[in-house]
Amino acid sequence: MLLSWPTWAIHLFTVTEWAVAMGLFWRYGRLIRRPGLQVFAVCMGPHLMSGLLILGFHLSGDTMRGLLEVSRLTNLGGSLLLLTATLAMAPALRRWRRWVWGIVPVGLVWVASAYWPLLGEHSTAVLGTANVAYLAFLLSLIWVYRTDRVPFSPLTIGGFWFLLVFVAVTIFTTRIATVGLGLPSLSHADVLHGLSESLLSVANLLVALGVYRRIEAQRKPGLFSDTKTGKDPSQ
């Protein structure tokens, strides 16, 4: 295996944290009677699948490249779904909620027409489009939070945004591994790989922790309140 046991553990933590965050979003949505949050939880599913595909890719010793390419495609679908689910919760778009969901099929059709076939040599372009869709999702989070602070806490939003740090560091460490050290991929530089992946684990942990604090604040009002202001810092 290319990966050491600590790096494997980080990968497993990353996937587990995302799955836990999905469950917490579902629970929070049910608790405050916001079905949109439960839909959001379901829309996190493709990214979970992407993480599992990456685990399979590494388990194969990075030889089954098809798993990596499919994971990029599921990333694209997941980012479009997260963007749409977030916009659907925006009060300003409540009247056009049904039309908002058209973003997903329109986005997929556009990408398919531009980069068909979606796998193989076009896989990198699909990943780039997925990153653009994810950035749009991040911006939509801020917009929704400014108009409705109930669905997402600043800690959760910060966790989603922290993923950009993971992406930036991964690009940097990949260049060190492939150009500086002359290795085939980042996976062959285990320490750098583990360092990069740990940042994704931190991002997912922040997402899950933010939702957990919201749930606990609903169950036990004042639990996370500041003693001076009486407000929850994560609100």
Side-chain angles (χ1 to χ4, degrees):
M1 290 191 302
L2 289 176
L3 309 187
S4 65
W5 286 111
T7 302
W8 268 113
I10 294 172
H11 270 285
L12 292 173
F13 277 133
T14 298
V15 173
T16 302
E17 288 161 352
W18 188 263
V20 169
M22 289 176 61
L24 289 172
F25 267 117
W26 181 273
R27 184 179 177 186
Y28 181 48
R30 183 175 60 182
L31 183 64
I32 64 173
R33 298 181 181 180
R34 288 287 190 98
L37 279 173
Q38 294 177 297
V39 173
F40 183 89
V42 174
C43 290
M44 294 173 69
H47 279 95
L48 176 62
M49 178 60 67
S50 179
L52 294 174
L53 288 168
I54 291 296
L55 288 179
F57 174 64
H58 289 319
L59 194 61
S60 72
D62 288 13
T63 59
M64 298 180 65
R65 188 166 179 81
L67 294 176
L68 177 63
E69 294 172 355
V70 174
S71 76
R72 292 173 175 176
L73 187 57
T74 56
N75 254 329
L76 171 61
S79 295
L80 288 173
L81 283 170
L82 290 180
L83 168 62
T84 305
T86 303
L87 290 176
M89 286 186 278
L93 298 179
R94 189 168 299 166
R95 184 179 302 178
W96 297 279
R97 188 170 298 168
R98 293 182 180 179
W99 296 100
V100 167
W101 283 100
I103 292 175
V104 177
V106 170
L108 291 176
V109 168
W110 178 82
V111 172
S113 62
Y115 302 115
W116 188 265
L118 298 176
L119 303 180
E121 61 181 7
H122 291 148
S123 177
T124 302
V126 170
L127 178 61
T129 307
N131 290 336
V132 172
Y134 188 84
L135 182 59
F137 156 64
L138 294 179
L139 295 175
S140 71
L141 275 177
I142 295 178
W143 181 51
V144 169
Y145 180 74
R146 292 182 64 181
T147 56
D148 183 4
R149 300 197 172 190
V150 174
F152 304 102
S153 72
L155 187 59
T156 292
I157 295 174
F160 282 122
W161 273 87
F162 193 78
L163 186 134
L164 296 182
V165 178
F166 158 72
V167 172
V169 172
T170 298
I171 293 173
F172 180 68
T173 52
T174 298
R175 183 169 181 82
I176 293 176
T178 56
V179 178
L181 301 178
L183 298 173
S185 68
L186 179 60
S187 298
H188 291 77
D190 189 70
V191 174
L192 293 177
H193 187 185
L195 173 64
S196 302
E197 189 68 21
S198 66
L199 296 176
L200 180 57
S201 180
V202 170
N204 291 351
L205 179 62
L206 292 176
V207 171
L209 185 58
V211 187
Y212 172 76
R213 286 172 62 92
R214 281 293 177 92
I215 293 173
E216 290 301 298
Q218 288 289 325
R219 293 176 55 195
K220 305 173 184 178
L223 179 62
F224 298 109
S225 297
D226 184 273
T227 55
K228 294 182 179 180
T229 64
K231 296 181 179 179
D232 181 355
S234 70
Q235 300 295 316

